Amino acid sequence: MVDDLRLRMLDDLLAAERNFRDLAERKVRALTGVLTELAYRLAGEKLEQMRQLDPSAPSSWKPEEWRSFFLSISLTSQGEGWGKANGSGQAAEIAALQAKIAALERELARVRERGYEVPPVERVAQVNPLLVSAGEGRLAGFTLPKIPKAWEHRWQVRAEMSKADAELHLKRRGMVLKCLAEGLSVQVEIGRYVGGATGAQYRSGAIRRVFEALEESGLIVRQTLTLQVTGSLPTRLAVARLSEEGKRFCRALGWPVVESDWERLIRLHEGEKQEGHTLAVLLFASAARLRGWTVEVLPEVQGKARPDMVITRGEQRLYVEVETGTRLHDGNAKWRMNAELNGGRVALVARNVEERGVLVADCRHAAEHGHATDVETLIAGRLVAVSEGDPLWAEEW
């Protein structure tokens, strides 16, 4: 008994150490990404020349090498950087960038020295999803239609539930099905809408039991997608879609059923084979919707371009490409076609901060302006803490 307890404690300590290592490495990559962005803005041409001599630069640089690079460039000269401001505002921007560089160098050195700093998890965990105003109005005024007798056998509840609990549970089941019928796929996003409308946290047992009951009844199909974003532990995303029986059930309730994002990726983009890419597309789609954007996955466009999605908000419209690697495309054709669709702008989602820097460098040759983010950054932002109007992109140029 004592030996088993010691083994469990040792396993817990080892798991905690691995988690701390992953968190520290993630923080280092994020800081490196910010430094890389600043370097490109101040001396993009010089940095590209250094990358040609050393392909691992600047991601492999230590604080001393970053310091040498910034000391070697002139912050007052024009024409060296990418995306620099002109005119009277340049001096203020230079001063702000110098302050950022100094702060980031100190932070990067501190993280490399300490290694396993624990982030403020307690503060994040205390965010109340019911206080975040993104998407809660989606199910406002929802009323569950009368269940046809032919379907009552699939609409049972556990005997131990009180009448009030059973009614609320069944209402939540209906809400989940309505969201799936409208084309949503990501469980955490749907859970947030349902929880916001019924007073439950998006990851509570009450919401989890709703999905479990729907799966047991044969009305939905669920799967957990994985993607190796960074470190040794894969990122997981639970997704769901209506089964054929579930589609017939929703139509019997009078709800139109559209092809879901997940189904469309399976049908048109080998979504089952490219599981990581599917996860990245669905995660970004949820992040965009929660920020007030309308999302269409795999839109039809004229020409050879095949964008992964198009997002719109007001008069803004962007075709977005999701790249879960750092593949080079002939003549940057992929990014040039994306820029043509967007009127001269590139919009991309990378796998992590480091790969985003590589892809952005390629895209700068294809377009003078663009927007970029990555799965690692989107995960760090947590869907539960997102609200409408929050910035969607990690960087713009």
Side-chain angles (χ1 to χ4, degrees), residues 46-64:
K46 180 175 182 178
L47 188 57
E48 278 296 291
Q49 293 172 359
M50 298 179 72
R51 281 186 62 198
Q52 293 176 5
L53 297 175
D54 180 9
S56 66
S59 59
S60 62
W61 286 356
K62 296 180 180 179
E64 294 77 13

Side-chain angles (χ1 to χ4, degrees), residues 323-334:
E323 181 64 82
T324 53
T326 55
R327 298 196 305 267
L328 291 176
H329 302 273
D330 293 339
N332 279 332
K334 178 176 182 177

Side-chain angles (χ1 to χ4, degrees), residues 92-378:
E93 183 184 16
I94 290 173
L97 289 174
Q98 287 175 323
K100 283 185 178 181
I101 290 169
L104 287 168
E105 285 181 338
R106 291 193 298 270
E107 181 70 8
L108 182 60
R110 185 176 65 84
V111 171
R112 289 188 183 278
E113 289 174 0
R114 297 183 61 181
Y116 303 135
E117 181 186 4
V118 182
V121 177
E122 294 79 4
R123 182 183 62 82
V124 175
Q126 292 175 357
V127 175
N128 183 352
L130 300 181
L131 299 179
V132 183
S133 60
E136 282 80 359
R138 186 183 191 99
L139 295 169
F142 174 86
T143 301
L144 181 65
K146 181 177 176 58
I147 306 300
K149 286 187 177 182
W151 300 91
E152 287 180 349
H153 67 289
R154 297 184 182 274
W155 211 246
Q156 304 298 321
V157 297
R158 296 175 182 175
E160 62 268 20
M161 280 191 183
S162 66
K163 182 178 179 180
D165 288 342
E167 289 178 353
L168 183 56
H169 172 81
L170 292 176
K171 181 178 182 179
R172 287 172 176 155
R173 278 200 214 177
M175 289 180 166
V176 169
L177 290 176
K178 187 70 162 55
C179 288
L180 293 173
E182 293 173 349
L184 300 184
S185 303
V186 177
Q187 183 169 315
V188 65
E189 179 188 1
I190 297 171
R192 177 168 169 178
Y193 296 146
V194 174
T198 62
Q201 292 191 3
Y202 77 110
R203 277 186 176 171
S204 67
I207 300 297
R208 186 186 68 252
R209 287 189 290 273
V210 168
F211 281 93
E212 291 173 350
L214 289 170
E215 185 177 26
E216 291 172 3
S217 69
L219 296 176
I220 70 171
V221 176
R222 289 200 297 166
Q223 183 179 338
T224 299
L225 305 177
T226 61
L227 171 63
Q228 200 73 31
V229 175
T230 183
S232 59
L233 297 176
T235 292
R236 295 178 173 85
L237 187 70
V239 294
R241 66 177 187 264
L242 293 173
S243 65
E244 291 304 315
E245 196 74 3
K247 293 177 183 178
R248 287 191 286 270
F249 177 70
C250 286
R251 293 188 183 107
L253 296 180
W255 296 336
V257 177
V258 302
E259 183 178 46
S260 71
D261 294 344
W262 185 21
E263 290 173 310
R264 190 166 177 81
L265 286 165
I266 292 174
R267 181 172 65 87
L268 298 175
H269 209 284
E270 296 185 323
E272 291 179 322
K273 294 181 181 179
Q274 302 185 55
E275 184 175 314
H277 182 267
T278 298
L279 181 152
V281 171
L282 294 178
L283 177 67
F284 179 79
S286 292
R289 273 191 297 268
L290 289 169
R291 289 169 170 82
W293 294 81
T294 299
V295 180
E296 180 185 355
V297 171
L298 299 180
E300 296 182 2
V301 299
Q302 294 182 348
K304 296 182 179 180
R306 295 292 180 268
D308 289 310
M309 70 189 84
V310 59
I311 62 174
T312 57
R313 187 173 65 180
E315 296 183 354
Q316 294 178 282
R317 182 181 183 86
L318 283 172
Y319 290 91
V320 182
E321 290 286 359
V322 176
E323 181 64 82
T324 53
T326 55
R327 298 196 305 267
L328 291 176
H329 302 273
D330 293 339
N332 279 332
K334 178 176 182 177
W335 307 120
R336 294 185 190 282
M337 287 189 292
N338 182 252
E340 290 176 3
L341 287 175
N342 290 321
R345 293 178 178 271
V346 168
L348 73 92
V349 180
R351 188 165 65 107
N352 54 45
V353 173
E354 184 175 358
E355 291 179 3
R356 187 185 85 210
V358 175
L359 292 171
V360 167
D362 291 336
C363 290
R364 289 179 186 270
H365 295 296
E368 294 184 1
H369 304 285
H371 314 264
T373 188
D374 58 89
V375 174
E376 182 180 6
T377 299
L378 293 172

